[in-house]
Structure formats: structure tokens, C-alpha cells
Amino acid sequence: MTKIRIAVQKSGRLNQDSLKILKDCGISIDNGKDQLKATARNFPLEVLYLRNGDIPQYLRDGIVDIAVLGENVLIEKGRDISIVEKLGFSKCRVSLAVPKSTKYNSVKDFEGKRIATSYPNTVLDYLKSKGVTADLHIINGSVEIAPNIGLADGICDIVSSGSTLFKNNLKEVEVILKSEAVLAVSPKISEECTVILEKLQFRIKSVLQARNNKYILLNAPNDKLDEIISILPGMRSPTVLPLAEEGWSSVHTVLNKDTFWEVIDELKEAGAEGILVCPIEKMVI
């Protein structure tokens, strides 16, 4: 039986989040300690645990069919590889940073300066677009220490919360790009694996929709029903059911988490009561 091969980062936060979304898709993976390859029990899928930076080449060569990795890695090493789904987790920025004591005005301040980075292609493209020339020092890991030991005047690295920069006496001065985990596909994927990918994407979309929405139930007086329904941006139209108490109805709908609290405030002002909020496990549209 044909199985689709998916690459995920072999350790760290991206590894955990990648395996979680597969689990939420109902895929059970037999994964022993320190295994570099594992097979799903209930879906035609094999998982390969690889270094994040190596994954673009594995995709390019057709060793794996699909992969979950950071968009920043594809921008640096795999711009020829297609993204089929943005996954919404492991969000970060690729940024330029300098010592806190450095007076900074604009990206032009990097002219002729030394920049330590693990993302030379990304930095060069950005600086070129700004008309700036700098001397790059390519480092794999512990980039933040470079200014403190006199190796560089600034750095370019991934930033999530900024705590690592703070601990190393650095400040973020330019955001080059924003990144998140993506599902990427090999240019050499077979027709059989493409069919499996479509099934997997269907499950992933259902999980992502569920994560981005909440199910709400509320009680509404019938004389305020039209006003309350006009506030709700549900998938199509809300479900309205009569309550045992005459003159009242129960309204059921779905709200996007990004606008959730604003809509709830409007509903309360319009007369909604007894608002119940429930998580959604899967959302098939």
C-alpha cells in the first residue's frame, strides 16, 4: 500500500506542534524513543524526523513527499518548493538586532557593518532591497553571542518573544519577515501520494477551522431576535430554537476567535443572556 512520507523537525517546539496537529487529525503514530522514522497505525503515512534546515533538500530530491517546517526555512533554502497550507502555529519573526547601547536610526546604519546570521540569503536579499552592503558572518546556532564577543556589530535571527535578545543585551531593530509553520510539498510527489495529501489536507483544514472558532449558545428575547441575529457572523445563518419559556429562543452559532469578545459585548448590549461558549473539536465545511 502506498504511503505518503512526511518530514517533521526531529526535536523542539515545532516537532511537538507538528505531531499534535497529526494527532488532532485522528492519525496515530507509533513513535519510540529516538526513532528517526515512524509509521501511522490508521493512515497511510510515514514520519521522518529530520533537521529543520535539511528538510528543503529532502523535499527537492523527493525523499519525502511533504513536510511541516518553518516558512522562514523555505524562504532561506527552498523558494522553489510549494506551500500548500499555512498551519498557524510556531509563529516567529526573522529580525535584525543590535546591542542595546547602539544608537540606531535606520537599516542604513548596517552599511559596512558585520552581521552574524544563520540566514545569509534572507539577509542579503533584504539588505540589497534597501541598498545596503554589509559583511555577513555565517553561524549555525548561538548567533546572539556574536556582538558580545566582538565577532559582529549586529545579528539576524529568528525572534519569538524577544527574551533571548533581552538576555543577551540586544534589541530588535528591523523585522525582515514574519513566519509560521507551513505544509510544503515535494515537486516529485507521485499521483498516488497526491491523493493521500488531499485527504490529509481535508483533515488539517477541519482542525484549523475548529481552532480558529468557538461554538456559542445564547438565550434571546423574541422581540430582540432580529437585532441579535444581525450581529452574528455565523457560517451561514444561526440555528434558532424556541425555549420552554414563552417569548424566548435559544440561538446557536459559530464565532471566530479573533472577533469573539467584541461580538459578545455587542450581543450582551442587544439583550442576549446565558451565553455559553464551547470549544470545537473539528469543523467540516
Side-chain angles (χ1 to χ4, degrees):
M1 181 180 180
T2 301
K3 293 183 179 181
I4 194 167
R5 293 162 296 176
I6 182 171
V8 301
Q9 185 173 300
K10 67 179 181 180
S11 61
R13 176 74 180 274
L14 185 53
N15 167 274
Q16 295 168 16
D17 290 342
S18 301
L19 295 178
K20 185 177 188 310
I21 197 167
L22 291 176
K23 182 179 179 181
D24 289 347
C25 287
I27 299 173
S28 301
I29 298 168
D30 293 318
N31 184 32
K33 186 179 179 182
D34 298 326
Q35 268 188 283
L36 296 179
K37 187 172 78 168
T39 302
R41 292 197 303 270
N42 57 352
F43 193 82
L45 177 141
E46 277 187 340
V47 182
L48 274 67
Y49 299 97
L50 305 171
R51 286 183 65 253
N52 208 29
D54 294 338
I55 291 176
Q57 192 60 50
Y58 279 87
L59 285 166
R60 196 175 286 116
D61 292 341
I63 303 301
V64 295
D65 303 301
I66 55 175
V68 177
L69 73 167
E71 188 177 6
N72 57 296
V73 177
L74 283 183
I75 291 171
E76 175 65 24
K77 295 185 174 182
R79 296 191 185 189
D80 55 322
I81 295 169
S82 299
I83 294 171
V84 294
E85 198 75 50
K86 293 198 172 188
L87 301 175
F89 56 80
S90 296
K91 293 185 177 181
C92 65
R93 308 178 294 280
V94 177
S95 298
L96 289 165
V98 298
K100 290 180 183 176
S101 59
T102 300
K103 183 180 178 181
Y104 184 83
N105 299 305
S106 74
V107 69
K108 298 291 184 183
D109 292 355
F110 283 101
E111 179 67 39
K113 298 294 177 66
R114 300 165 300 164
I115 302 174
T117 185
S118 302
Y119 299 92
N121 296 326
T122 304
V123 179
L124 285 173
D125 287 348
Y126 178 75
L127 294 179
K128 185 178 179 180
S129 72
K130 302 294 183 181
V132 174
T133 302
D135 181 19
L136 297 192
H137 290 258
I138 301 172
I139 299 176
N140 292 317
S142 302
V143 173
E144 295 86 358
I145 198 173
N148 293 327
I149 60 176
L151 180 63
D153 303 297
I155 70 164
C156 177
D157 203 10
I158 57 171
V159 179
S160 295
S161 65
S163 62
T164 303
L165 294 180
F166 180 80
K167 291 174 184 176
N168 286 277
N169 205 33
L170 299 172
K171 60 183 179 182
E172 185 178 9
V173 293
E174 298 285 340
V175 177
I176 294 179
L177 60 90
K178 293 182 178 180
S179 174
E180 64 183 90
V182 297
L183 182 66
V185 62
S186 168
K188 296 185 177 180
I189 188 171
S190 67
E191 289 185 15
E192 294 90 344
C193 286
T194 299
V195 172
I196 300 171
L197 172 59
E198 289 171 355
K199 292 179 181 179
L200 178 60
Q201 271 190 272
F202 174 77
R203 296 191 186 193
I204 289 174
K205 287 178 186 292
S206 298
V207 170
L208 294 179
Q209 285 282 357
R211 289 181 180 181
N212 291 330
N213 291 276
K214 294 184 181 295
Y215 188 78
I216 69 163
L217 303 86
L218 59 89
N219 296 331
N222 288 345
D223 59 347
K224 299 286 186 68
L225 204 52
D226 288 342
E227 182 184 355
I228 287 171
I229 289 173
S230 70
I231 296 169
L232 297 171
M235 292 183 289
R236 287 188 180 173
S237 64
T239 300
V240 180
L241 301 171
L243 292 179
E245 182 178 346
E246 189 174 345
W248 284 80
S249 295
S250 175
V251 180
H252 301 213
T253 192
V254 171
L255 293 182
N256 187 279
K257 68 176 185 179
D258 293 334
T259 58
F260 173 78
W261 286 112
E262 292 83 354
V263 175
I264 291 295
D265 288 340
E266 289 185 57
L267 290 171
K268 288 181 66 179
E269 289 177 12
E273 297 181 9
I275 301 173
L276 179 65
V277 182
C278 304
I280 302 172
E281 185 176 335
K282 306 288 186 298
M283 191 167 166
V284 180
I285 297 178

